[in-house]
Amino acid sequence: MAKTETPRRIRGTQDIFGDEQRRFAHVLSTFERVRALYCFQRIDIPVFESTAVFARSLGETTDVVSKEMYTFEDRGGDSLTLRPEFTAGIARAYLTEGWQQFSPLKLTTSGPVFRYERPQKGRFRQFHQIDAEVIGAAEPAADVELLVLADQLLRELGVSEGVTLQLNTLGDAATRDAWREALVAHFEAHRGELSEDSLTRLEKNPMRILDSKDPRDRPIADSAPDIDAYLTDEARAFFEAVTAGLDAAGVAWERNARLVRGLDYYRHTAFEFVTDKLGAQGTVLAGGRYDGLIGSLGGPETAGVGWAAGVERLAMLLEEPAVERPLVAVIPKSADWNSRALEAVTLLRSAGFSCSMAFKGNLKRRGEIANKEAAVSKLFVGDPDGPGSALEMSFYNSSLSNAEQDELVNKVRDVLGDRFGWSMGSAGWNNP
Ligand code: ATP
Ligand code: MG
């Protein structure tokens, strides 16, 4: 009989475990903490939307919409798409849920996003983003607030070394029209040297050629005219207000006149935090102002600005994963002591101690498991040396000083002392 084939993990997806999972969780918990410091609200939105939500807001010609979306028809015949990013779905929610009444809204979210890309280091088909947005604020102060949040997040994660904030302006509508004309003239003059993709971009959105990764396009993109000569007074003043805000907050930045965002809806501020440590996948956090987005979804013209960062890329940069180790490994010395041990571990956990509870193998094996978990302390429940003492506490390979060990013993005694009727000295528990 043929052996049943074991199912495979889908290419570009991940099973996140152990060290990797600790890094991953650390990014998310740090984001959650910093979000609260800036008084951004957490929201959650669906993993899939009508395909139109992304097609209309990102633009049909973007790489994401034209090549990378997971789009399928559901059983009712509707075209749905797994979200390739958050902003479009948040804008949709803003409109359909009547969130205008709460404007300006400072929001964060996080979760899986999906893009059909060629998997490689730091590039997956299901990856995870953290995301921050301010909707309904046209002031440059909103851009500054988001950038300072991003900067503090990277510093608190300890990954800011080797990371630079690259900043650009894409101007207002008048600026973009004038710049676009100049770009078209430049690219037309080099038509013969452009990649096929860029020839299409030339028809639909010439700005994107600046963003091309194709080596054939790079010299032409690099010699294209800067936006600066085309900035209206208003657009220039906006950009200056953003940079002045960053300077006041002490956030270092660098002008990158070549930086454009891949999506159609960006205006004014565009930025990327780029690291020199992840090779081609060096962009860890990216975003900008998207005043045109909500209008393109059929809503009233609404200002918005935001960013997203790849959780995996941030996790890869973390120095040391935060290792979780039990503070107390509770070990019954024999089966007779199982229920007493269970009572102790329940009390300790209720009091906020992180505890593991041994239930596998003999006493020796249980001790080994606690060592493997790198438990800070072991609490043996049972008769250690015959009658006279019923509980003992010992410390495994502990980084605790003697004073800290005494403190821990005292805290455990506070929780267990009364119930167990035992007192405990710094050397361990003694049955009085
Ligand atoms: P890239 O140029 O690397 O393709 P992007 O411009 O497509 O990035 P954004 O759409 O700005 O990326 O997404 C924000 C962040 O999400 C990126 O800065 C990156 O950290 C992360 N990211 C994007 N695509 C992937 C992917 N396929 N796998 C893992 N992380 C990703
Ligand atoms: Mg991409």
Side-chain angles (χ1 to χ4, degrees), residues 172 174-175 230-237:
D172 48 21
T175 305
Y230 307 94
L231 285 176
T232 59
D233 289 348
E234 235 184 310
R236 186 179 304 279

Side-chain angles (χ1 to χ4, degrees), residues 337-359:
W337 292 89
N338 279 352
S339 49
R340 228 50 228 290
L342 190 59
E343 190 184 349
V345 78
T346 305
L347 284 169
L348 286 169
R349 285 171 174 160
S350 301
F353 293 78
S354 74
C355 297
S356 64
M357 169 74 174
F359 46 72

Side-chain angles (χ1 to χ4, degrees), residues 64 68 84-85 115 117 122-125 127-129 211 213 261-263 272 280-281 283-287 308-313:
V64 170
E68 298 175 0
E85 53 111 62
R115 296 186 191 178
E117 298 196 74
R123 197 175 287 285
F124 305 94
R125 289 182 172 174
F127 62 104
H128 299 77
Q129 284 186 338
D211 201 23
K213 290 179 182 125
R261 299 286 306 138
L263 313 179
E272 290 185 355
Q281 271 63 253
T283 305
V284 290
L285 185 152
V311 177
E312 288 83 357
R313 291 194 196 170

